[in-house]
Amino acid sequence: MTREQKDALISDLADRLGKSEVVYLTDINSLNSEDSSKLRRLCFQRDVKLQVVKNTLLAKAMERVEGKEYGDLVGVLKGNTGLMTAEVGSVPAKLIKEFRKKSSKPIIKGVYIEEAIFIGDENLDMLASLKTKDELVGDIISLL
């Protein structure tokens, strides 16, 4: 890969990160091709974008994004990294929980949701239970 290609990829990643308020960094190492295809299909159905990225390129892209601090997420960039982005914070976590009924992967390395950072797979249940903005508004209206 040439320097120009790397720079273009970093710019694309930075643009994608800049537009997304929900970023999941996952470990999808050791998934066979069949499971990988199933995961990608499930992501497509749920409107979650999945991309396997090089850690150094992703770290440089995170540095380029203006207005967002990814903090400790750069530290979890080891091994194979799958970058998942979505519109709703709980959708990728629910997708991972569902997929892990049949497989041990993907494992959450770190998550960035609207300026909040979560490190580690132990946050999966909490992330899956997050409510959307519309659900929270509905809860408030029902309380009134």
Side-chain angles (χ1 to χ4, degrees):
M1 185 178 275
T2 66
R3 185 177 300 246
E4 291 81 21
Q5 291 172 324
K6 287 181 182 178
D7 193 46
L9 184 57
I10 291 170
S11 295
D12 290 343
L13 285 171
D15 185 48
R16 182 174 168 188
L17 291 171
K19 291 178 181 176
S20 181
E21 291 296 323
V22 178
V23 177
Y24 279 67
L25 302 177
T26 60
D27 176 8
I28 58 173
N29 190 22
S30 75
L31 279 181
N32 60 31
S33 61
E34 182 181 345
D35 288 341
S36 181
S37 294
K38 287 178 183 177
L39 178 62
R40 289 179 185 278
R41 225 175 284 119
L42 190 59
C43 287
F44 181 76
Q45 292 169 354
R46 304 275 172 84
D47 200 26
V48 174
K49 292 173 182 63
L50 172 66
Q51 180 180 3
V52 178
V53 294
K54 288 188 151 243
N55 294 326
T56 54
L57 298 179
L58 183 57
K60 289 178 182 180
M62 287 177 165
E63 291 173 5
R64 284 193 190 179
V65 177
E66 294 182 20
K68 292 185 181 179
E69 248 337 285
Y70 291 102
D72 295 336
L73 286 183
V74 176
V76 301
L77 295 176
K78 295 176 179 83
N80 290 345
T81 301
L83 172 67
M84 298 174 112
T85 55
E87 296 294 320
V88 180
S90 63
V91 171
K94 290 176 182 175
L95 182 145
I96 290 169
K97 274 185 83 165
E98 179 182 329
F99 193 79
R100 282 181 31 188
K101 290 178 182 175
K102 298 176 184 168
S103 176
S104 63
K105 301 277 180 152
I107 295 174
I108 295 177
K109 292 181 176 183
V111 178
Y112 173 89
I113 299 178
E114 298 179 11
E115 299 181 10
I117 295 174
F118 305 93
I119 304 292
D121 195 55
E122 62 274 1
N123 295 308
L124 179 62
D125 291 330
M126 186 270 305
L127 291 168
S129 67
L130 288 176
K131 293 188 177 193
T132 65
K133 182 178 178 182
D134 293 336
E135 290 172 337
L136 290 173
V137 169
D139 287 349
I140 292 171
I141 289 173
S142 67
L143 289 173
L144 295 175

